[in-house]
Amino acid sequence: KIENDNVDVIIVGSQSISAPPSVGNLSHIPCSQTELMFGSMPDAVILTVNPFDDVSYVKRTIQFIEGATFGHVISIALYPLRRDDAWSVFNNQFTTLPNKELTDIANRLESSLGVPTYIQDEIGFKCIFEKLIDYFKDE
Protein backbone atom coordinates (compact mmCIF):
# COMPACT_ATOMS: atom_id res chain seq x y z
CA LYS A 1 0.00 0.00 0.00
CA ILE A 2 2.99 2.30 -0.50
CA GLU A 3 1.14 4.11 -3.29
CA ASN A 4 -1.27 5.44 -0.66
CA ASP A 5 1.51 7.69 0.68
CA ASN A 6 1.19 9.97 -2.37
CA VAL A 7 4.75 9.40 -3.58
CA ASP A 8 5.91 10.32 -7.07
CA VAL A 9 8.16 7.36 -7.82
CA ILE A 10 8.44 3.89 -6.28
CA ILE A 11 11.56 1.91 -7.19
CA VAL A 12 11.42 -1.86 -6.90
CA GLY A 13 14.18 -4.36 -7.65
CA SER A 14 14.01 -8.07 -8.31
CA GLN A 15 16.31 -11.01 -8.85
CA SER A 16 16.94 -12.36 -12.30
CA ILE A 17 14.68 -14.57 -14.37
CA SER A 18 11.35 -12.81 -14.74
CA ALA A 19 10.13 -15.22 -17.40
CA PRO A 20 10.74 -18.94 -16.96
CA PRO A 21 13.62 -20.19 -19.12
CA SER A 22 11.55 -23.32 -19.77
CA VAL A 23 8.36 -24.86 -18.43
CA GLY A 24 9.65 -28.41 -18.17
CA ASN A 25 9.73 -28.32 -14.38
CA LEU A 26 7.83 -26.37 -11.73
CA SER A 27 11.14 -25.32 -10.17
CA HIS A 28 11.79 -23.22 -13.30
CA ILE A 29 8.86 -20.93 -12.58
CA PRO A 30 10.11 -17.75 -10.84
CA CYS A 31 7.28 -17.42 -8.31
CA SER A 32 8.76 -14.68 -6.10
CA GLN A 33 9.68 -12.50 -9.09
CA THR A 34 6.20 -12.95 -10.57
CA GLU A 35 4.59 -12.09 -7.23
CA LEU A 36 6.70 -8.94 -7.00
CA MET A 37 5.70 -7.91 -10.54
CA PHE A 38 2.00 -8.41 -9.83
CA GLY A 39 2.31 -6.74 -6.44
CA SER A 40 4.10 -3.65 -7.76
CA MET A 41 2.57 -3.38 -11.25
CA PRO A 42 5.39 -1.17 -12.56
CA ASP A 43 4.76 1.58 -15.07
CA ALA A 44 8.32 1.35 -16.35
CA VAL A 45 10.92 -1.43 -16.22
CA ILE A 46 14.66 -1.43 -16.72
CA LEU A 47 15.56 -4.99 -17.61
CA THR A 48 19.05 -6.16 -16.71
CA VAL A 49 20.39 -8.90 -18.95
CA ASN A 50 23.56 -10.96 -19.02
CA PRO A 51 25.94 -10.77 -21.97
CA PHE A 52 25.29 -14.46 -22.69
CA ASP A 53 21.47 -14.21 -22.68
CA ASP A 54 19.94 -15.24 -25.97
CA VAL A 55 18.06 -12.48 -27.82
CA SER A 56 14.96 -14.68 -28.11
CA TYR A 57 14.90 -15.20 -24.33
CA VAL A 58 15.29 -11.45 -23.71
CA LYS A 59 12.44 -10.79 -26.17
CA ARG A 60 10.23 -13.34 -24.42
CA THR A 61 11.06 -11.78 -21.05
CA ILE A 62 10.07 -8.32 -22.32
CA GLN A 63 6.82 -9.69 -23.72
CA PHE A 64 6.07 -11.45 -20.43
CA ILE A 65 6.75 -8.36 -18.30
CA GLU A 66 4.77 -6.03 -20.54
CA GLY A 67 1.87 -8.46 -20.91
CA ALA A 68 1.65 -9.27 -17.21
CA THR A 69 2.01 -5.76 -15.82
CA PHE A 70 0.86 -3.40 -18.59
CA GLY A 71 4.12 -1.55 -17.87
CA HIS A 72 6.72 -0.82 -20.49
CA VAL A 73 10.33 -2.00 -20.68
CA ILE A 74 11.94 1.36 -21.39
CA SER A 75 15.56 0.18 -21.50
CA ILE A 76 17.87 -2.77 -21.17
CA ALA A 77 20.89 -2.62 -18.86
CA LEU A 78 23.67 -4.95 -19.99
CA TYR A 79 25.58 -6.53 -17.11
CA PRO A 80 29.30 -6.15 -17.95
CA LEU A 81 30.63 -9.24 -16.14
CA ARG A 82 30.93 -12.86 -17.13
CA ARG A 83 31.31 -15.66 -14.61
CA ASP A 84 34.52 -17.49 -15.45
CA ASP A 85 32.86 -20.87 -14.91
CA ALA A 86 29.15 -20.36 -15.59
CA TRP A 87 28.25 -23.88 -14.50
CA SER A 88 29.67 -23.71 -10.99
CA VAL A 89 27.46 -22.19 -8.30
CA PHE A 90 30.51 -21.98 -6.04
CA ASN A 91 32.56 -19.92 -8.47
CA ASN A 92 32.65 -16.22 -7.67
CA GLN A 93 35.33 -15.34 -10.21
CA PHE A 94 34.12 -12.78 -12.71
CA THR A 95 35.74 -11.19 -15.72
CA THR A 96 34.76 -7.78 -17.07
CA LEU A 97 34.14 -8.13 -20.76
CA PRO A 98 36.05 -5.85 -23.13
CA ASN A 99 34.18 -2.65 -24.01
CA LYS A 100 34.11 -3.55 -27.71
CA GLU A 101 32.40 -6.87 -26.96
CA LEU A 102 29.88 -5.21 -24.63
CA THR A 103 29.15 -2.51 -27.21
CA ASP A 104 28.60 -5.16 -29.91
CA ILE A 105 26.19 -7.09 -27.66
CA ALA A 106 24.33 -3.90 -26.68
CA ASN A 107 24.01 -2.85 -30.33
CA ARG A 108 22.76 -6.32 -31.32
CA LEU A 109 20.11 -6.30 -28.57
CA GLU A 110 18.97 -2.78 -29.38
CA SER A 111 18.69 -3.42 -33.12
CA SER A 112 16.96 -6.78 -32.65
CA LEU A 113 14.51 -5.68 -29.95
CA GLY A 114 14.05 -1.95 -30.57
CA VAL A 115 14.73 -1.19 -26.90
CA PRO A 116 17.50 1.25 -25.92
CA THR A 117 20.32 -0.83 -24.44
CA TYR A 118 23.08 0.50 -22.20
CA ILE A 119 26.12 -1.06 -20.60
CA GLN A 120 26.03 -0.96 -16.81
CA ASP A 121 28.76 1.61 -16.31
CA GLU A 122 28.83 5.28 -15.36
CA ILE A 123 27.81 6.45 -18.83
CA GLY A 124 25.11 3.81 -19.16
CA PHE A 125 23.59 4.65 -15.78
CA LYS A 126 23.42 8.33 -16.75
CA CYS A 127 21.63 7.39 -19.97
CA ILE A 128 19.16 5.18 -18.09
CA PHE A 129 18.51 7.98 -15.60
CA GLU A 130 17.77 10.40 -18.45
CA LYS A 131 15.50 7.79 -20.07
CA LEU A 132 13.54 7.51 -16.81
CA ILE A 133 13.22 11.30 -16.52
CA ASP A 134 11.98 11.53 -20.12
CA TYR A 135 9.52 8.70 -19.61
CA PHE A 136 7.90 10.15 -16.51
CA LYS A 137 8.15 13.89 -17.21
CA ASP A 138 4.81 14.09 -19.04
CA GLU A 139 2.83 12.19 -16.40
Side-chain angles (χ1 to χ4, degrees):
K1 297 182 181 180
I2 194 169
E3 74 276 4
N4 294 337
D5 292 336
N6 199 25
V7 296
D8 290 331
V9 176
I10 301 169
I11 298 174
V12 177
S14 174
Q15 281 291 343
S16 61
I17 306 179
S18 296
S22 70
V23 291
N25 189 314
L26 285 176
S27 68
H28 295 163
I29 298 173
C31 294
S32 59
Q33 291 89 326
T34 303
E35 290 169 350
L36 181 64
M37 273 195 302
F38 288 139
S40 62
M41 293 303 280
D43 296 317
V45 173
I46 299 164
L47 179 64
T48 298
V49 300
N50 292 301
F52 54 81
D53 287 340
D54 187 65
V55 173
S56 64
Y57 174 69
V58 176
K59 179 179 180 179
R60 196 162 47 84
T61 301
I62 292 170
Q63 291 171 330
F64 177 76
I65 291 169
E66 291 183 345
T69 67
F70 309 110
H72 184 65
V73 175
I74 64 169
S75 71
I76 295 172
L78 179 61
Y79 189 65
L81 303 179
R82 176 186 61 220
R83 183 174 283 178
D84 291 338
D85 181 4
W87 296 106
S88 172
V89 295
F90 302 110
N91 182 9
N92 290 323
Q93 300 295 318
F94 293 90
T95 301
T96 301
L97 293 173
N99 199 41
K100 165 104 173 74
E101 187 175 347
L102 289 167
T103 301
D104 290 346
I105 294 168
N107 289 338
R108 186 181 79 240
L109 287 168
E110 188 165 337
S111 67
S112 297
L113 302 170
V115 178
T117 303
Y118 307 102
I119 299 166
Q120 286 186 12
D121 60 13
E122 188 175 341
I123 295 168
F125 287 130
K126 286 180 182 178
C127 293
I128 290 169
F129 179 76
E130 291 298 322
K131 187 78 176 156
L132 280 167
I133 297 296
D134 287 345
Y135 186 81
F136 286 111
K137 73 179 179 187
D138 294 329
E139 287 199 10

